[in-house]
Every structure is written in C-alpha cells, then in structure tokens.
Amino acid sequence: MGPLRTKAVLRRAGHLLATASLAAAAMAFANAASAQTLTIESWRNDDADVWNTKIIPAFNKQHPNIKVQFKADPPTEYNAALNARLAGGTAGDLITCRPFDASLDLFKKGQLVSVNDVKGIENFSEVAKSAWSTDDGKTTFCMPMASVIHGFIYNKEIFDELKLTPPKTVKEFHAVLDKIKADGKYTPIAMGTADQWEAATMGFQNIGVNYWKGEEGRKALIEGKQKFTDPAYVQAFAELASWAPYMGDGYKAQKYPDTQNLFTLGRAAIYPAGSWDVPIFRKQADFEFDAFAPPVPDGAGKCYISDHTDIALGINAKSKNQEAAKTFLTWIASSEFADIYANELPGFFPLSTAKITVKDPVAAKFASWRGTCESSIRNSYQILSRGTPNLENELWNVSAQVLNGTMKPEEAAKKAEDGLASWYEPHKK
Amino acid sequence: MSDIAATNVQAGSVPERSRFPLHIAVFLAPALIIYTIFSIYPLVDTIRLSLYAGDETGARHFVGLGNFVTLLTDPAWSGQFWNALGNNLIFFAIHMVVQNGIGLGLAMLLSLPRLTGGSIYRTLLFLPTMLSVVIIGFIWQLILNPLWGIAPTLLKAVGLGSLFGPWLGQESTALVTVSLISVWQFVGIPMMLIYAALINIPDDLMDAATVDGAGPFSVFWFVRLPLILPTLGVVSILTFVANFNAFDLIYAVKGALAGPNFSTDILGTFFYRTFFGYQLQVGSPTMGAAVATAMLIVILLGVLIYLFGVQRRLQRHTF
C-alpha cells in the first residue's frame, strides 16, 4: 500500500467518523426532544385532522413544552396492531381504550396503569367510568372521553319530496319504508352486510335496546336471567330481518364506505347510524339531513337508546413520560377538552359531568334523546365477550346472516345463545 | 520405494488435510445464519409457544398438547378449524385447476413459434403478480361492486344484467370469487415457469415427432407434456405452499372475520384472529401458535406426499 493510498484511506475514515459522530449527536438530540413527546395510539383515523389542528394546539397553549403526536390505525386493525406493539414495547405513551374487556385485558396484563390518582377523574360518573373499571369498580384504568349514540339519519329533502314525517313507532317506520320503496327513486335503507359489523351495530344493537328494555335487559343477560332465545331478542332479529327488502341492490357485497356514499350522494333515504357519522356527513352531504330515534315497538311506552361508552384514554405502563401523560389525561378530563371534542367532532358526546352545548343541530338531536329516552350500552361488551366463541363476533355473524336471509331470526338467537352457554356459567342452566 | 515415497508425501500433507475445511463453513455461514435467525429459530419457538397457555395476567405455563386437544375437540375451535381447512382446500383446488391450467395454456400460446409481440403479452400477463395485494383487492372490489362497479354496468349493457349478483357477499359464491381474484393475480407465475420449461425443449424432438406423423395434440400430449412434468410438479408444490399460507387477499377483501358466515375463512385468517384477536375477541399468542403449528403440519404433510409420492417418480431429461 503506497503512502498515497494510505492517506486516502485515512481521509475516508475521517469522513466516516465525522458522519458517524454527527449522526450520534443528532440521535442524542432527538432523544432529548422525545423526552417530552407523547404519542397517542388510536383507531380514529378519521379524526386525525381534528386532533392535529384543534385538540393538540389547544393543549399546547397551556402546556407548550409537551409535544403530542396523534397516530391512528384503521379501526379494524387497531386491536391487533396495538397488542403487537404493546408486546414488543414500541407502543405509544397514551393508549386509546376500547370499552370493557379489551382494555380490561390490557390492564390485567399490566400494560395500562391505574388512573385513580389522576386529577380530573372526579369529573366522571360511575356509569361513564364503568366501561374502563375493574369488575369490582375500584380501579379505573382509562380516562373516559366520549360515548356514541345510535339512531337513524334521514335525508330531509327526500322526506320532503315524498311528504314523509320521521317515524316514531315500528309501524310508522315500515309505512315510511313502504312509501319510499313504492316511489322507487331512492333506496329506502342504506346499509350493507359485507362488513358484518354494520348489521350488528347499526342494526341489532341500534333497534334492539327498545326490545330488551335497555339496561334492564343487558343486566339480566349478564346475570343469566334472560337468554338470547327470549322473545325480546328474537323480535329484535325479526325486525332486523324485515329490513332486507328495503336495502340497496347487492347489499350483501356492500361495505361501510359504500353505505356512507350511497347516503351522502342522496341515493338513499334512511341511514341506520352511529352518531360518529354526523361529522363525516357534514363534510360530504350537500343536502339537509336530520335524525330520528330508533322507532319503538307498537304499544311500548318508554323509548331506549344505545348510548355506548365508546372511547377513553389510558397510559401505557411502559411509557417513559408518565408525568406528562398524566398531565394530558387531566386536560382530557377538563371541560375545555369536552367542549372542543363535542363541537369539532359532533357525534362524540363527552362523558364528563361538565355542561357542554353541542352546536351541531343533528348531533344535538342525538344528545337530546338522553333526556327523553333511557340510555344503555351495547349488550355484548361487558363480560359476555370474554369467552370462545366470542359473542360480539357471533352477533356480527348472525346479524349479517339474518339480513342476508341465510338464517331465520330464531336460528340466529339460538346460535348466539348456544355460543354463550358453551362457556358462560350463568347461561349454562 | 514407491511405498516409502507415498508415506513421505502423506506424512508431509497430513496436517494440511485434517485441518477443518474452513472455507466450507465460510460459504455456508451467511445462509445458515440468516435462515437460523429468521426462519428456523422462529419456527422452533412457535412450536414451543404452542405448548403453553397464558392466563389473564399474561403469565404462561406449560400445557403440553392441551392447545391442540382444544383445537381439535372443543366445538368452538374445531368447527372453525375444519371450516378453515376445508375452505383452504377449495381455495387450493381452484388454483390448481384454474390458475395452473390457464398458466399452462398461456405458456403454450406464448411458445408458439410464429407469435409476434410475445414479450408484450408476457409482461402484461405477469403485471398483476407484481402489484400489491391491497391494490388488487381494492380494484376487484370496485369492479364487482353492485352499486357502482363496472361489472354490473357492463353486463347490463349487453343485456345480461340478471346474471350479476353480489358475488363477494354471498355465502355460496364468496370463496370462489376471492379464489378467482387470486388466480387472476398469480397466473403469471405458473405461466412463466412453464414457458421457461417449454422453450427449453429442443425443436428436433418436436420436428421428429411431426415427421413421425404426430399431430399438434399428440406432440403436446406425448412429447411436450412429459418433458415439462417436473416443472408442473414444482408449480404444484409452490401453489400448495402459497395457498396454505395465504392470508393477505382475503384480509384485504373480506376482513379478518372472513364473512359471510366464515365462508371465506382460510387457515391464514383463522390464525390471524386467534393470534392477534379481533374487535372484542382478545388475541391469544399461545393458541395462535398452536394454529400456526397445525398449519405447518398440514403444509409439511402436503410437501412430504409430494416429495415421496410424486417427485421421486418423475423422470428428468436433460438435453
């Protein structure tokens, strides 16, 4: 090796060293910065905009030195992705909590910490906290954020054109459907069964509360005093099955986004909804729309709604920024957050006891049913989906099948009950 | 004399010869290390994990073959397992018949001696294979969409609108439809492999057969087909392994719940649900590992049947 080569090699080594040290310095800098960066894991990819442009800036006004990042997965992939990241130790600091068992499982595995001592938790009622508390109710592990309400959104222009009034009872509901169908211009009900959850959530859970009388039925089901084969549940399935003739062409292959488009393009009159659809429709629909509560069965006095505690925020036990995370949760519990959340994402209703005015008229209508009807949560979420076969998956399956006409309401009820009875003691008798 | 000389030579070279053949280790090392870390170790660890069960705190304890007993005897598990295995077999059968049949046909057409633009067809037919499954799934869902897809519009335009159905959403048709989408995507692979084998056959053989009075069909049946049989064997085993590991297309089109009523559920999606969980179903890594091990056994059985039943009987020809 000649002296010239040696020199060149040395020079190159010097460059390499310089680059390496620069990179190391940059990484050290990044580490220092991330000491105060909180990452939120969420399934609300639809809301990323609102988090980035409204919620996080509002938080930063009070806490400028805590940076917050919002990172969302598609809803159906969230649980799997989150579990993998938690197991691998790469999950974010703040975990958006699904209600009941999915999050309880994380807490039991030590992946979420108790938020009992976080300031602001006192702003929530027992019912609001119940979805994220241990079975004995002593420990809460996520700060409740919002609930969603089911109902029906309808296209006001179509209703005006066909001179229809929003139905209050099941009988009126079917009369309205028949009139829309007879007219022939519009699809009466926008819903598809390809994704299955639509059938269960927007269908079965949406109208079902009126049949099993909300919390009364839900609790009886958990205690084993009622079974899915009881008339109330079979009737709910039967009512669901009667929707099939009113649904769009090829609804069996229609997915959730298809359903949303069918309605926002003005081609369908009635959309069995979750209140979370309101902000999306606000953006996409260029006609006026309004909402009506799930029609009550004929002769029933009281009305019930599915007011489902849906979303909360917890702290990853492995997060290095516990204090900053607690600060953020305390802010989440404040009325300031509740106000931003309720009005930037109309359709998500804050659970805190603070008085919030919902400005969006349709979202406000959903919220107003809390005053006139009894609230309940989805009956498969607490305790009943702990075993195999998983009740929630079963309900998706049978609800879709009832609508597809491949299963009778009685068979659907029997399948759900058999699955539950195969592992859940109170239902074994 | 010669003996002594030989001993001398040997004595001189003994230390050289008996030394460990370092170069062999050096050449083996990259593959060995990479396969061990990324393939063999995970495989063995999966099998180990399948012998454990976790409780609700996440702690694991040894249960022997308990997971497999549950998988095969508990109706809640075995029903889903056999359903997934059955669907997987149908999925495989459709690929074997349709994908490899069409692949063979296309390869024959491409190897026609006077074909112009052969390389263009080849590229076009192979294109879907290189596309992402997510794109394939998305495109086909749009094409077949009953509300705004072009399939119903086209059928209506030629007066066959009544033939259209929501194929991806019916229990009776969903699996076949998804299989055919997969066939459409991957038909390029058997086509290329068989094409490569076909153009390797010397023209003399076919000319000789023609001179002997064989028509095109006899040439295909008695000359070309026997010569490409080893390739068809390779194509079959590749299809088998790929199909029993399939997951992505079903997940992209039908989701992990593989509806309607699990009619499109194959072992891959069943494994995914079990391992990662779904919606309210909490994932179980240990049970998932048991499903993965069962998949491994199924694939292993298939490959062994092929190796001992088919591969050894195949005659190879070199020209």
Side-chain angles (χ1 to χ4, degrees):
Chain A
M1 204 183 263
L4 211 69
R5 286 281 303 278
T6 324
K7 223 180 200 173
V9 167
L10 269 179
R11 198 179 324 135
R12 209 173 285 168
H15 278 176
L16 201 74
L17 207 70
T19 325
S21 58
L22 203 70
M27 268 161 74
F29 180 71
N31 269 342
S34 74
Q36 283 296 316
T37 300
L38 295 173
T39 308
I40 301 176
E41 300 271 359
S42 175
W43 69 85
R44 292 299 311 165
N45 49 355
D46 285 348
D47 307 344
D49 244 14
V50 172
W51 277 90
N52 289 328
T53 59
K54 301 277 157 64
I55 299 174
I56 295 171
F59 170 73
N60 279 345
K61 259 185 211 155
Q62 292 179 20
H63 304 276
N65 48 0
I66 302 177
K67 285 216 161 50
V68 184
Q69 252 177 6
F70 184 76
K71 207 173 83 193
D73 291 298
T76 49
E77 283 159 32
Y78 177 71
N79 293 20
L82 176 69
N83 284 337
R85 282 202 286 268
L86 281 170
T90 56
D93 308 276
L94 294 164
I95 311 286
T96 309
C97 301
R98 298 271 192 194
F100 295 109
D101 292 355
S103 297
L104 181 62
D105 180 63
L106 298 182
F107 176 68
K108 282 183 178 163
K109 282 189 181 140
Q111 288 165 330
L112 289 175
V113 299
S114 157
V115 295
N116 278 355
D117 58 337
V118 177
K119 240 175 68 192
I121 192 77
E122 67 279 358
N123 297 350
F124 296 93
S125 69
E126 288 304 315
V127 178
K129 285 191 284 187
S130 72
W132 299 280
S133 297
T134 47
D135 288 350
D136 59 14
K138 280 189 186 133
T139 315
T140 305
F141 40 83
C142 295
M143 189 67 82
M145 280 165 69
S147 71
V148 292
I149 298 177
H150 281 301
F152 293 79
I153 296 179
Y154 65 94
N155 183 325
K156 231 176 168 172
E157 285 171 19
I158 295 179
F159 266 53
D160 287 346
E161 185 191 329
L162 304 178
K163 299 193 179 56
L164 302 167
T165 44
K168 291 205 172 61
T169 65
V170 171
K171 209 168 162 191
E172 289 173 21
F173 181 58
H174 278 269
V176 165
L177 291 177
D178 282 332
K179 273 188 202 153
I180 303 170
K181 196 174 181 190
D183 177 70
K185 234 189 302 174
Y186 307 102
T187 305
I189 298 182
M191 189 154 107
T193 56
D195 282 333
Q196 303 186 64
W197 68 265
E198 263 185 277
T201 314
M202 320 284 231
F204 184 67
Q205 300 285 0
N206 182 0
I207 58 169
V209 278
N210 270 324
Y211 291 88
W212 58 75
K213 303 199 186 312
E215 286 295 277
E216 193 187 319
R218 187 179 78 85
K219 289 195 168 128
L221 206 57
I222 292 173
E223 287 158 13
K225 287 181 194 149
Q226 282 186 15
K227 293 184 179 339
F228 273 106
T229 43
D230 288 353
Y233 301 89
V234 179
Q235 277 165 19
F237 278 123
E239 168 59 19
L240 187 63
S242 71
W243 292 6
Y246 303 107
M247 285 159 52
D249 265 350
Y251 65 88
K252 292 172 188 171
Q254 182 180 325
K255 294 192 137 198
Y256 181 51
D258 295 329
T259 308
Q260 289 177 316
N261 286 330
L262 195 65
F263 184 76
T264 53
L265 290 173
R267 284 172 52 177
I270 297 172
Y271 176 95
S275 53
W276 65 86
D277 284 312
V278 172
I280 302 160
F281 288 178
R282 268 290 162 243
K283 243 188 272 168
Q284 291 177 351
D286 54 4
F287 51 83
E288 239 191 292
F289 59 89
D290 202 351
F292 59 85
V296 292
D298 307 291
K302 247 193 245 160
C303 63
Y304 298 85
I305 53 165
S306 166
D307 181 0
H308 186 65
T309 44
D310 187 57
I311 187 166
L313 204 62
I315 303 174
N316 181 354
K318 285 204 184 119
S319 163
K320 293 191 182 76
N321 309 312
Q322 299 284 340
E323 280 316 307
K326 282 183 181 167
T327 311
F328 191 76
L329 283 199
T330 304
W331 184 74
I332 287 282
S334 70
S335 59
E336 186 191 356
F337 170 80
D339 189 56
I340 298 175
Y341 203 67
N343 287 306
E344 289 301 334
L345 291 168
F348 285 93
F349 305 103
L351 287 163
S352 78
T353 44
K355 276 264 174 290
I356 302 295
T357 340
V358 181
K359 293 184 193 100
D360 185 284
V362 177
K365 191 156 209 178
F366 272 97
S368 73
W369 300 333
R370 278 178 174 170
T372 50
C373 303
E374 302 265 325
S375 293
S376 175
I377 34 192
R378 294 181 198 149
N379 61 5
S380 52
Y381 272 63
Q382 192 174 22
I383 301 173
L384 298 183
S385 281
R386 279 182 197 173
T388 311
N390 183 277
L391 178 65
E392 176 73 356
N393 288 359
E394 294 258 290
L395 286 181
W396 289 20
N397 184 342
V398 297
S399 303
Q401 285 208 67
V402 159
L403 276 170
N404 284 352
T406 49
M407 215 177 214
K408 289 204 178 74
E410 297 79 22
E411 291 166 350
K414 189 172 176 327
K415 185 166 181 205
E417 181 59 34
D418 286 351
L420 193 57
S422 72
W423 62 270
Y424 187 55
E425 284 302 331
H427 276 249
K428 277 187 177 167
K429 282 161 271 171
Chain B
M1 262 305 269
S2 64
D3 273 349
I4 296 167
T7 346
N8 275 350
V9 170
Q10 251 189 1
S13 62
V14 157
E16 286 278 311
R17 284 231 184 125
S18 72
R19 215 163 69 190
F20 182 72
L22 201 63
H23 61 283
I24 294 182
V26 168
F27 283 118
L28 277 181
L32 194 70
I33 292 172
I34 289 173
Y35 271 108
T36 310
I37 296 177
F38 293 108
S39 218
I40 300 172
Y41 167 69
L43 212 64
V44 172
D45 201 51
T46 302
I47 297 173
R48 185 191 61 81
L49 190 59
S50 71
L51 303 177
Y52 285 76
D55 60 16
E56 54 184 23
T57 60
R60 286 177 188 150
H61 56 276
F62 187 77
V63 290
L65 295 175
N67 286 337
F68 294 95
V69 173
T70 312
L71 188 62
L72 296 177
T73 59
D74 181 347
W77 288 98
S78 66
Q80 295 231 324
F81 176 72
W82 294 118
N83 171 51
L85 187 64
N87 288 340
N88 222 148
L89 282 170
I90 298 174
F91 192 68
F92 170 60
I94 292 174
H95 278 80
M96 273 307 279
V97 174
V98 183
Q99 174 191 282
N100 297 347
I102 294 181
L104 176 64
L106 289 174
M108 296 292 293
L109 288 177
L110 281 179
S111 66
L112 285 179
R114 269 165 311 211
L115 181 75
T116 44
S119 58
I120 295 175
Y121 296 135
R122 217 166 53 209
T123 315
L124 285 179
L125 289 166
F126 198 72
L127 262 183
T129 311
M130 297 186 289
L131 287 178
S132 150
V133 178
V134 180
I135 295 174
I136 303 273
F138 185 67
I139 291 174
W140 275 100
Q141 281 188 72
L142 272 186
I143 293 175
L144 297 176
N145 192 306
L147 293 168
W148 19 71
I150 58 162
T153 322
L154 276 181
L155 279 175
K156 264 177 216 150
V158 295
L160 295 172
S162 59
L163 285 184
F164 181 81
W167 292 311
L168 278 171
Q170 292 168 341
E171 221 172 305
S172 51
T173 53
L175 181 61
V176 177
T177 312
V178 177
S179 306
L180 290 178
I181 294 175
S182 170
V183 163
W184 178 84
Q185 180 179 12
F186 289 115
V187 75
I189 289 177
M191 180 193 79
M192 288 306 244
L193 288 171
I194 298 170
Y195 174 67
L198 281 174
I199 56 173
N200 251 339
I201 301 174
D203 288 340
D204 325 5
L205 283 176
M206 275 156 338
D207 292 346
T210 315
V211 169
D212 284 343
F217 182 77
S218 305
V219 170
F220 169 73
W221 195 251
F222 296 109
V223 181
R224 300 179 93 183
L225 194 63
L227 290 175
I228 59 165
L229 266 187
T231 306
L232 290 184
V234 170
V235 166
S236 309
I237 203 68
L238 283 180
T239 311
F240 177 77
V241 174
N243 283 171
F244 277 81
N245 276 325
F247 161 74
D248 37 13
L249 183 71
I250 307 256
Y251 182 72
V253 175
K254 299 303 303 178
L257 218 50
N261 194 21
F262 297 109
S263 60
T264 51
D265 198 22
I266 59 173
L267 290 171
T269 41
F270 175 52
F271 161 76
Y272 178 89
R273 275 201 314 279
T274 313
F275 190 92
F276 291 107
Y278 191 71
Q279 194 66 12
L280 298 190
Q281 178 186 344
V282 176
S284 159
T286 51
M287 200 65 199
V291 176
T293 308
M295 284 169 75
L296 176 74
I297 293 170
V298 168
I299 292 173
L300 213 58
L301 279 179
V303 175
L304 284 180
I305 291 171
Y306 168 77
L307 269 184
F308 292 105
V310 183
Q311 175 98 328
R312 295 202 165 176
R313 294 188 197 166
L314 285 178
Q315 280 187 327
R316 271 163 212 290
H317 305 271
T318 42
F319 309 108

